[in-house]
């Protein structure tokens, strides 16, 4: 064996040689990790899976990204970040400033107000049940909650601060590095993990405990007026077997079939003949999408006034008046379902005063008071 290129030290013995070999392997492994960047990735061995309970009358399939599973620590961190004013440029505004729990995570303004007093061009949308949404914001510019969260943080007329700056401010605190360690396995705060935590919290904002839900689950009842409103909501006006069915056709844009009362599609609902806001066309560049906006959820709709993308209607009564009497029928690309009429060959919806009352009564059954007061969603500070 004298030709071997490597000889054990004299007198080391077999056991000593094995120990030396193990030491060399450990040193080599350590060297291989040196200089490896800390990407702030998750450590699934330290984070506790969050048990998400889906209401029986809502869709049971949800799209949670594989790289951002819900965890107890991630959701708790996201809740704190949602109400954290350090993420705004002047340290006065948080996500919760425009998304207030008592208003179903809207703000009661026609158009949102930024950290420095600027008025946004659009109304604040509710965050109820965003877990099921495929596109977000009025024009669908974001395809995920992780992607959407960056927009208001960095928008000059919203929170007006680069996320990178917000990360630096969080890193300098005593509070946040340990929380990021618990949630994502690293105390080094990253932009990606800030967005992940916010998205995790927002996915838990589930609303499905309204009087309507109790009725659907056979846990309660609705009044005759509310039931009549529910029928109008889902009925399409027109002749069936020689009988003319009266309806509001609301379900075409706010589907009640899956319990979400929203739609993945975008609609021109006859607000204008010309468009100051391009709507969906601002994202797609398609002329046919001008004046089309996302149909927001109607859950807790009685709490989210004012209404429409620009907050032009102060009350639900004004909304019904629009669909009943004031649709701009010549609006380019108008959705045909807002041109339906309860009068044969009519040009307006023509609901009666009683039918409006019934529809309004039904819409109020979508208010989930437990969602509006649930301590899990409240400001933790």
């Amino acid at each position: 064996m004298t030709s071997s290129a490597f000889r054990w030290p004299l007198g080391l013995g077999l056991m000593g040689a094995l120990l030396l070999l193990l030491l060399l392997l450990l040193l080599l492994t350590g060297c291989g990790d040196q200089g490896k960047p800390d990407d702030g990735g998750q450590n699934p061995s330290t984070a506790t899976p969050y048990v998400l309970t889906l209401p029986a009358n809502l869709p049971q399939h949800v799209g949670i990204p594989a790289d951002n599973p819900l965890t107890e620590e991630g959701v708790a961190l996201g809740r704190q970040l949602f109400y954290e004013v350090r993420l705004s440029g002047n340290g006065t505004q948080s996500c919760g400033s425009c998304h207030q729990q008592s208003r179903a995570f809207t703000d009661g303004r026609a158009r949102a107000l930024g950290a420095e007093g600027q008025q946004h061009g659009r109304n604040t949308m509710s965050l109820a049940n965003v877990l099921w949404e495929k596109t977000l914001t009025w024009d669908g510019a974001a395809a995920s909650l992780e992607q959407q969260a960056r927009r208001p943080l960095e928008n000059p007329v919203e929170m007006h601060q680069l996320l990178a700056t917000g990360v630096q401010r969080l890193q300098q605190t005593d509070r946040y590095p340990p929380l990021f360690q618990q949630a994502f396995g690293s105390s080094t705060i990253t932009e990606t993990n800030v967005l992940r935590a916010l998205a995790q919290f927002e996915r838990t904002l589930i609303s499905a405990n309204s009087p309507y839900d109790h009725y659907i689950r056979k846990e309660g009842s609705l009044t005759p007026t509310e039931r009549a409103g529910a029928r109008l909501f889902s009925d399409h006006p027109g002749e069936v077997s020689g009988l003319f069915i009266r309806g509001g056709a609301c379900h075409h844009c706010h589907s009640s079939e899956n319990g979400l009362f929203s739609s993945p599609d975008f609609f021109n609902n006859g607000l204008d003949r010309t468009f100051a806001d391009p709507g969906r066309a601002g994202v797609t560049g398609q002329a046919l999408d001008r004046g089309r906006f996302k149909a927001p959820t109607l859950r807790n709709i009685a709490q989210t006034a004012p209404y429409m993308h620009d907050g032009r209607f102060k009350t639900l009564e004004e909304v019904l008046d629009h669909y009943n009497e004031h649709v701009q029928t010549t609006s380019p690309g108008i959705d045909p379902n807002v041109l339906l009429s309860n009068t044969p060959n009519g040009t307006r919806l023509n609901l009666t005063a009683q039918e409006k009352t019934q529809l309004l009564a039904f819409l109020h059954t979508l208010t989930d008071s437990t969602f509006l007061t649930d301590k899990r969603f409240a400001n933790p500070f």
Side-chain angles (χ1 to χ4, degrees), residues 178-246:
L179 296 179
F180 275 86
Q181 175 69 47
Q182 295 168 17
F184 297 111
S186 173
S187 60
T188 300
I189 301 174
T190 67
E191 295 182 36
T192 295
N193 283 342
V194 168
L195 299 175
R196 283 173 172 168
L198 284 168
Q200 284 193 44
F201 171 65
E202 290 170 358
R203 289 190 173 102
T204 68
L205 301 178
I206 296 175
S207 177
N209 198 35
S210 66
Y212 167 80
D213 294 300
H214 295 168
Y215 173 70
I216 291 297
R217 297 195 293 257
K218 302 186 185 308
E219 300 166 356
S221 61
L222 298 181
T223 68
T225 297
E226 291 165 346
R227 292 198 302 273
R231 288 193 297 272
L232 284 168
F233 186 94
S234 298
D235 279 348
H236 183 105
E239 189 173 335
V240 178
S241 302
L243 296 175
F244 196 89
I245 304 298
R246 298 185 66 81

Side-chain angles (χ1 to χ4, degrees), residues 98-99 106-114 118-126 136-142 148 151 155 157-158 266 275-284 289-294 304 306-312:
C98 290
H99 297 283
T106 62
D107 61 3
R109 297 180 177 275
R111 288 181 252 178
L113 201 64
Q118 315 95 315
Q119 188 177 67
H120 196 283
R122 291 175 179 165
N123 179 259
T124 298
M125 300 188 81
S126 172
L136 300 148
T137 74
W138 285 103
D139 57 12
Q148 186 277 332
R151 297 170 64 87
N155 190 332
V157 297
E158 293 184 73
F266 301 83
F275 311 113
D277 186 328
R280 181 64 172 161
V283 175
T284 67
D289 284 332
R290 287 186 61 79
R292 289 181 178 173
F293 294 90
K294 188 172 181 62
T304 62
Y307 305 103
M308 303 299 164
H309 69 278
D310 54 7
R312 69 179 65 187

Side-chain angles (χ1 to χ4, degrees), residues 52 115 137 146 206 250 266 381:
L52 187 67
T137 74
E146 288 83 357
I206 296 175
C250 313
F266 301 83
F381 299 119

Side-chain angles (χ1 to χ4, degrees), residues 48-303:
T48 308
Y50 184 95
V51 179
L52 187 67
T53 303
L54 299 178
N57 58 306
L58 294 188
Q60 297 301 295
H61 299 288
V62 294
I64 297 176
D67 64 351
N68 193 25
L70 297 186
T71 65
E72 293 283 350
E73 295 81 0
V75 170
L77 172 58
R79 178 188 172 196
Q80 294 202 35
L81 293 175
F82 188 85
Y83 291 101
E84 178 54 73
V85 296
R86 290 182 180 90
L87 292 176
S88 66
N90 61 9
T92 64
Q93 192 173 48
S94 70
C95 301
S97 299
C98 290
H99 297 283
Q100 300 164 19
Q101 183 183 8
S102 62
R103 300 178 185 272
F105 293 94
T106 62
D107 61 3
R109 297 180 177 275
R111 288 181 252 178
L113 201 64
E116 297 169 7
Q118 315 95 315
Q119 188 177 67
H120 196 283
R122 291 175 179 165
N123 179 259
T124 298
M125 300 188 81
S126 172
L127 297 180
N129 297 337
V130 288
L131 171 66
W132 286 275
E133 296 295 342
K134 304 298 184 185
T135 54
L136 300 148
T137 74
W138 285 103
D139 57 12
S144 72
L145 285 167
E146 288 83 357
Q147 185 185 92
Q148 186 277 332
R150 182 186 291 271
R151 297 170 64 87
L153 292 173
E154 298 189 332
N155 190 332
V157 297
E158 293 184 73
M159 294 173 71
H160 197 191
Q161 177 173 260
L162 291 176
L163 180 53
T165 303
V167 164
Q168 292 172 2
R169 296 177 73 178
L170 297 177
Q171 190 73 64
Q172 293 167 359
T173 67
D174 293 330
R175 172 189 295 272
Y176 284 105
L179 296 179
F180 275 86
Q181 175 69 47
Q182 295 168 17
F184 297 111
S186 173
S187 60
T188 300
I189 301 174
T190 67
E191 295 182 36
T192 295
N193 283 342
V194 168
L195 299 175
R196 283 173 172 168
L198 284 168
Q200 284 193 44
F201 171 65
E202 290 170 358
R203 289 190 173 102
T204 68
L205 301 178
I206 296 175
S207 177
N209 198 35
S210 66
Y212 167 80
D213 294 300
H214 295 168
Y215 173 70
I216 291 297
R217 297 195 293 257
K218 302 186 185 308
E219 300 166 356
S221 61
L222 298 181
T223 68
T225 297
E226 291 165 346
R227 292 198 302 273
R231 288 193 297 272
L232 284 168
F233 186 94
S234 298
D235 279 348
H236 183 105
E239 189 173 335
V240 178
S241 302
L243 296 175
F244 196 89
I245 304 298
R246 298 185 66 81
C250 313
H251 66 291
H252 289 296
C253 298
H254 302 279
S255 177
S256 57
E257 185 175 344
N258 60 10
L260 296 175
F261 291 92
S262 62
S263 173
D265 299 321
F266 301 83
F267 304 93
N268 174 350
N269 60 348
L271 289 172
D272 303 297
R273 292 190 179 93
T274 60
F275 311 113
D277 186 328
R280 181 64 172 161
V283 175
T284 67
Q286 301 296 313
L288 287 176
D289 284 332
R290 287 186 61 79
R292 289 181 178 173
F293 294 90
K294 188 172 181 62
T297 181
L298 295 185
R299 285 188 168 274
N300 303 292
I301 192 66
Q303 309 301 314

